[in-house]
Amino acid sequence: MPASPPLARALRAALLFRQPSLDPAQLPAALFVDTAAHCDEADRVYQAAIAGVLASDAARDVLAAASTFRERVREIRAAARTEIDALLVRSGNVGIDFDPLDVVSPRVGGLNHVEIVRLADLCDRARLQVGGLRSEANARIAPLLSEDSRSELASAKRARIAAFHGAVHAELARLGPLERFSQTVESLATLADGWY
């Protein structure tokens, strides 16, 4: 069986952080693979909306800015993961597959206080870097949008987020009853949005 996409693995880990009573061994091997595919498709629809709403030059510039932002976020995520993995190895822990940009930190046994603070700091720093990049990208994109196009693209983005929610909801519903179901759907859909 091919490896799950990175988003599917991040969602799986995030689910286990939020639902610690779940037994990882009992979860389906392909958990969130369909969700990741649905999120990819929803994002393609959103990008097509950008291309359809804006004039070709503006659409090209907006999509380029978004692409640059996404690439930089991937770099920040990967750099944070490298540092986190090194921290875990030094403490004798096996690497944990999670998104360092997730607002919920993993529960890692065997870390001393300094290591716990360091782990939290690495994640916080990565999220702050992404926040700064988002502000820069928005500043580049804002002048390219008219009031009408801004409204249309906001609607398209809401549709993308709704699609993410629907995909996560459908996947979690198959698992059976979960505590804090709605909050978990919201949290995982927000995490998925951070991958795009």
Side-chain angles (χ1 to χ4, degrees):
M1 180 179 199
S4 294
L7 175 55
R9 295 194 307 271
L11 289 170
R12 181 188 185 95
L15 173 65
L16 292 170
F17 301 156
R18 290 159 175 82
Q19 299 282 338
S21 63
L22 289 175
D23 179 357
Q26 298 299 314
L27 295 177
L31 185 66
F32 293 119
V33 170
D34 286 346
T35 299
H38 288 303
C39 289
D40 285 347
E41 178 57 27
D43 185 60
R44 282 190 288 275
V45 169
Y46 175 64
Q47 290 192 47
I50 292 171
V53 166
L54 299 176
S56 59
D57 287 352
R60 184 193 62 236
D61 292 347
V62 167
L63 291 170
S67 178
T68 299
F69 168 75
R70 292 175 185 203
E71 181 58 34
R72 288 289 295 124
V73 170
R74 284 191 290 272
E75 291 169 2
I76 290 168
R77 184 180 279 119
R81 282 305 325 215
T82 298
E83 289 189 70
I84 289 166
D85 289 345
L87 171 70
L88 295 176
V89 166
R90 283 193 305 272
S91 68
N93 281 282
V94 178
I96 299 169
D97 199 6
F98 77 100
D99 184 355
L101 302 179
D102 190 354
V103 295
V104 176
S105 297
R107 296 167 193 84
V108 182
L111 295 182
N112 62 38
H113 176 72
V114 171
E115 291 165 335
I116 292 168
V117 170
R118 178 76 176 134
L119 175 63
D121 179 63
L122 288 167
C123 294
D124 288 344
R125 189 171 31 135
R127 286 191 295 272
L128 284 172
Q129 288 175 307
V130 169
L133 287 176
R134 183 173 287 109
S135 295
E136 291 172 17
N138 288 339
R140 282 195 302 275
I141 289 170
L144 302 170
L145 306 178
S146 67
E147 199 59 44
D148 287 343
S149 65
R150 190 181 323 275
S151 175
E152 288 184 62
L153 293 180
S155 177
K157 187 163 189 178
R158 284 192 299 274
R160 184 184 75 168
I161 292 170
F164 290 174
H165 276 82
V168 170
H169 186 283
E171 192 89 47
L172 292 182
R174 289 193 282 264
L175 295 179
L178 293 174
E179 295 177 11
R180 302 175 310 281
F181 182 87
S182 295
Q183 297 95 318
T184 302
V185 169
E186 175 70 26
S187 183
L188 296 187
T190 299
L191 178 68
D193 187 50
W195 280 70
Y196 296 91

